[in-house]
């Protein structure tokens, strides 16, 4: 994992919320931490509330979006140009698709070809579609299955196959005091040194 195992403070997300800023739509980058929010619902792709399989793997399903829930956070690893794997921060397992549109997606401990994904987008609504790079069937894009809360393959054109991708910026706890002192003029963190218009301006000072 490219980020320290000691971090637990998701500073930027909290500050953006306090200051009334909306997070920017993310372009997937190597080493980034993301959550995938269904454009068709208010939930994120997560392996929380899981249905356990016989071999101990879990189906991927959806739960109410919580950017501080590690079950909903995924670390991107660019294994080749524009091709990524996504490792869940709660269990270090990798997102895995299947060659059948009727098989719910899961997470696995080791990467195979069904764990390597490419994305299309963003479209006019800032949403993305994603499927395994080895997929040839047009019905294998990551899809929120209505009524079951499972994630499985389906057509890219379906509204439930579109996803907002949000980046979560994490920091080591030891770095937080210094980051806060860059932003606030007082120890109680009640007075900003300057006004911030957006997330990018805030990030530049942390």
């Amino acid at each position: 994992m490219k980020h320290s195992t000691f971090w637990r403070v998701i500073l930027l997300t909290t500050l953006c919320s306090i200051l009334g800023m909306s997070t920017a739509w993310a372009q997937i980058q190597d080493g980034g931490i993301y959550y995938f929010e269904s454009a068709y619902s208010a939930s994120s792709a997560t392996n929380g509330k899981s249905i356990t399989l016989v071999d101990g793997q879990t189906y991927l399903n959806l739960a109410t979006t919580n950017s501080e829930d590690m079950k909903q956070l995924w670390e991107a690893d660019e294994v080749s140009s524009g091709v990524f794997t996504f490792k869940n921060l709660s269990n270090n397992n990798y997102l895995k698709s299947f060659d059948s549109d009727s098989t719910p997606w899961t997470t696995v401990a080791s990467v195979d070809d069904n764990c390597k994904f490419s994305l299309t987008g963003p479209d006019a609504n800032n949403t993305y579609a994603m499927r395994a790079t080895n997929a040839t069937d047009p019905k294998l894009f990551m899809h929120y299955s209505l009524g079951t809360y499972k994630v499985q393959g389906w057509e890219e054109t379906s509204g439930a196959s579109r996803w907002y991708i949000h980046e979560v910026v994490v920091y080591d706890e030891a770095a937080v005091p210094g980051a806060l002192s860059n932003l606030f003029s007082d120890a109680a963190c009640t007075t900003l040194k300057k006004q911030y218009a957006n997330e990018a301006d805030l990030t530049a000072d942390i």
Side-chain angles (χ1 to χ4, degrees), residues 1-3 7-8 32-36 44-50 58-63 66-77 84-96 106-111 115 117:
M1 186 174 180
K2 296 180 177 63
H3 299 271
W7 70 263
R8 285 299 180 268
I33 306 294
Y34 303 91
Y35 66 92
F36 299 90
S44 290
T46 171
N47 62 346
K49 296 183 180 178
S50 58
T58 57
Y59 287 129
L60 208 69
N61 58 15
L62 287 94
N66 178 1
S67 63
E68 296 185 17
D69 179 4
M70 288 199 294
K71 293 189 295 293
Q72 299 185 29
L73 301 181
W74 305 85
E75 180 181 18
D77 181 18
F84 297 88
T85 61
F86 295 96
K87 183 168 64 175
N88 189 267
L89 295 194
S90 72
N91 56 21
N92 291 324
N93 285 346
Y94 293 89
L95 179 65
K96 177 182 172 70
T106 187
T107 61
V108 292
S110 301
V111 171
C115 299
F117 297 94

Side-chain angles (χ1 to χ4, degrees), residues 76-137:
D77 181 18
E78 190 169 17
V79 294
S80 61
S81 181
V83 177
F84 297 88
T85 61
F86 295 96
K87 183 168 64 175
N88 189 267
L89 295 194
S90 72
N91 56 21
N92 291 324
N93 285 346
Y94 293 89
L95 179 65
K96 177 182 172 70
S97 67
F98 287 92
D99 297 328
S100 167
D101 60 48
S102 63
T103 305
W105 290 21
T106 187
T107 61
V108 292
S110 301
V111 171
D112 60 29
D113 286 343
N114 286 89
C115 299
K116 300 174 183 178
F117 297 94
S118 59
L119 295 89
T120 60
D123 62 11
N125 297 315
N126 287 313
T127 67
Y128 293 79
M130 184 171 83
R131 69 172 177 175
T133 55
N134 67 337
T136 57
D137 189 323

